Amino acid sequence: MKLYLDPGHGGSDPGAQGNGINEKDIVLDIARHLRDILSSDYKNVDVMMSRSNDRTKGLQERTNEANSWGADYYLSIHCNAFNGSAQGYEDYIHSSLSDSSQTAAYQDIMHDEITNVNELRNRGQKKANFHVLRETAMSALLTENGFIDNEHDAALLKSPSWRREVAQGHVNGLARAFNLERKQDDPSTIFRIIAGSFEARANANERVAFLSSEGIDAFVDSITISGKLWHRVQAGAFSTRENAENHLNTVKNAGIEDAYIVSESS
């Protein structure tokens, strides 16, 4: 399966703006997570990104590239803005397509999986005459992941763990829609549950104490990222992703909703 992954805007075009953040930065982060999850977890998936950094790229250049490459699916990632009061998630296919089309069937699956995890108001499945939906030779979907100028949605958009979760929702949809096959776990890979990452050691210790009160073993693992020391709370390590995901649900059910999995080679 060949996926053309298109984080909207970029470079001189910031996209929607609000609450101190730019659309171009939010959607790039979601798209990078999406690419990385697909690459690490699924077989026979090729991903081409319209941009993997903050650069300017025209709409025609994007669709021409996808068409020339022969992509099987075009996925464009965006977030919205209106007047500060609108909020929620919606997605689009081209307005010329019927509800019985293959593209609409893909949209049904993608919408179901993304709204299952994104904690946003569901604004529904829609159609529009957007360039990236009209000029693509393959099925295409454009997702609008919250309103950047809405205080509720922006609080989610600012959360790194939320952006990872939304990326995972997109991946779940792609896996269902295209019957993607998961890779077998590499015996050398360890899947760690991260239940918080803090600049202050005291905050990390507080999280460990809370998890202990919920019957979940955890400890603080300090790590340097980009020259900055972080105190990471680890709440389990597993040799299979399935077991890690099961324990992740336990940690989230205890109230740590921003917990996530990192995979590391031993």
Side-chain angles (χ1 to χ4, degrees):
M1 183 262 193
K2 297 172 70 173
L3 172 69
Y4 190 87
L5 181 56
D6 177 27
H9 310 283
S12 61
D13 176 12
Q17 297 176 291
N19 290 289
I21 49 178
N22 295 322
E23 178 183 3
K24 67 174 185 177
D25 301 320
I26 299 299
V27 299
L28 178 59
D29 190 52
I30 293 172
R32 284 171 170 168
H33 285 305
L34 205 164
R35 173 200 61 194
D36 293 347
I37 296 168
L38 282 173
S39 298
S40 66
D41 292 359
Y42 290 92
K43 296 180 180 179
N44 303 318
V45 181
D46 292 325
V47 180
M48 177 182 288
M49 293 182 67
S50 61
R51 62 183 185 94
S52 57
N53 53 31
D54 184 22
R55 73 184 192 91
T56 304
K57 192 167 188 175
L59 292 175
Q60 193 66 56
E61 188 179 358
R62 299 175 196 232
T63 53
N64 284 350
E65 188 173 68
N67 292 338
S68 297
W69 186 50
D72 297 307
Y73 198 55
Y74 190 109
L75 180 58
S76 192
I77 311 294
H78 289 258
C79 50
N80 233 325
F82 183 55
N83 62 3
S85 63
Q87 63 183 104
Y89 169 84
E90 59 196 24
D91 48 47
Y92 291 85
I93 60 173
H94 192 254
S95 51
S96 67
L97 296 168
S98 72
D99 292 342
S100 60
S101 65
Q102 181 64 68
T103 301
Y106 290 150
Q107 182 185 27
D108 290 342
I109 295 170
M110 295 292 293
H111 187 90
D112 180 54
E113 292 292 344
I114 296 167
T115 57
N116 191 45
V117 302
N118 67 8
E119 304 174 59
L120 293 169
R121 178 179 296 172
N122 187 349
R123 296 172 59 89
Q125 298 171 232
K126 302 183 178 183
K127 298 178 183 180
N129 189 32
F130 298 143
H131 175 95
V132 297
L133 304 178
R134 183 184 65 248
E135 300 300 324
T136 40
M138 69 295 302
S139 290
L141 180 74
L142 185 146
T143 65
E144 292 278 9
N145 297 275
F147 282 75
I148 203 167
D149 58 349
N150 176 269
E151 187 176 350
H152 169 271
D153 287 9
L156 293 173
L157 290 164
K158 290 178 180 180
S159 166
S161 61
W162 182 87
R163 297 194 297 268
R164 279 191 295 269
E165 194 68 22
V166 167
Q168 184 66 63
H170 283 69
V171 169
N172 294 346
L174 292 166
R176 269 184 60 196
F178 292 92
N179 297 310
L180 301 182
E181 183 181 356
R182 292 188 74 101
K183 292 180 179 177
Q184 295 296 316
D185 291 327
D186 185 335
S188 67
T189 299
I190 300 297
F191 300 94
R192 304 184 191 279
I193 310 300
I194 305 302
S197 190
F198 304 90
E199 292 183 65
R201 176 80 185 217
N203 292 339
N205 290 338
E206 184 178 336
R207 176 62 56 85
V208 168
F210 171 78
L211 288 167
S212 179
S213 73
E214 296 292 320
I216 299 170
D217 292 332
F219 64 91
V220 178
D221 176 29
S222 298
I223 185 172
T224 300
I225 301 175
S226 300
K228 191 170 187 178
L229 182 65
W230 293 90
H231 302 290
R232 200 168 68 168
V233 177
Q234 183 174 313
F238 302 85
S239 60
T240 68
R241 179 171 284 276
E242 181 180 2
N243 289 341
E245 288 176 347
N246 288 337
H247 192 63
L248 177 64
N249 289 332
T250 299
V251 173
K252 286 187 173 183
N253 289 337
I256 313 300
E257 295 183 359
D258 60 349
Y260 58 96
I261 297 171
V262 295
S263 58
E264 299 173 353
S265 296
S266 58

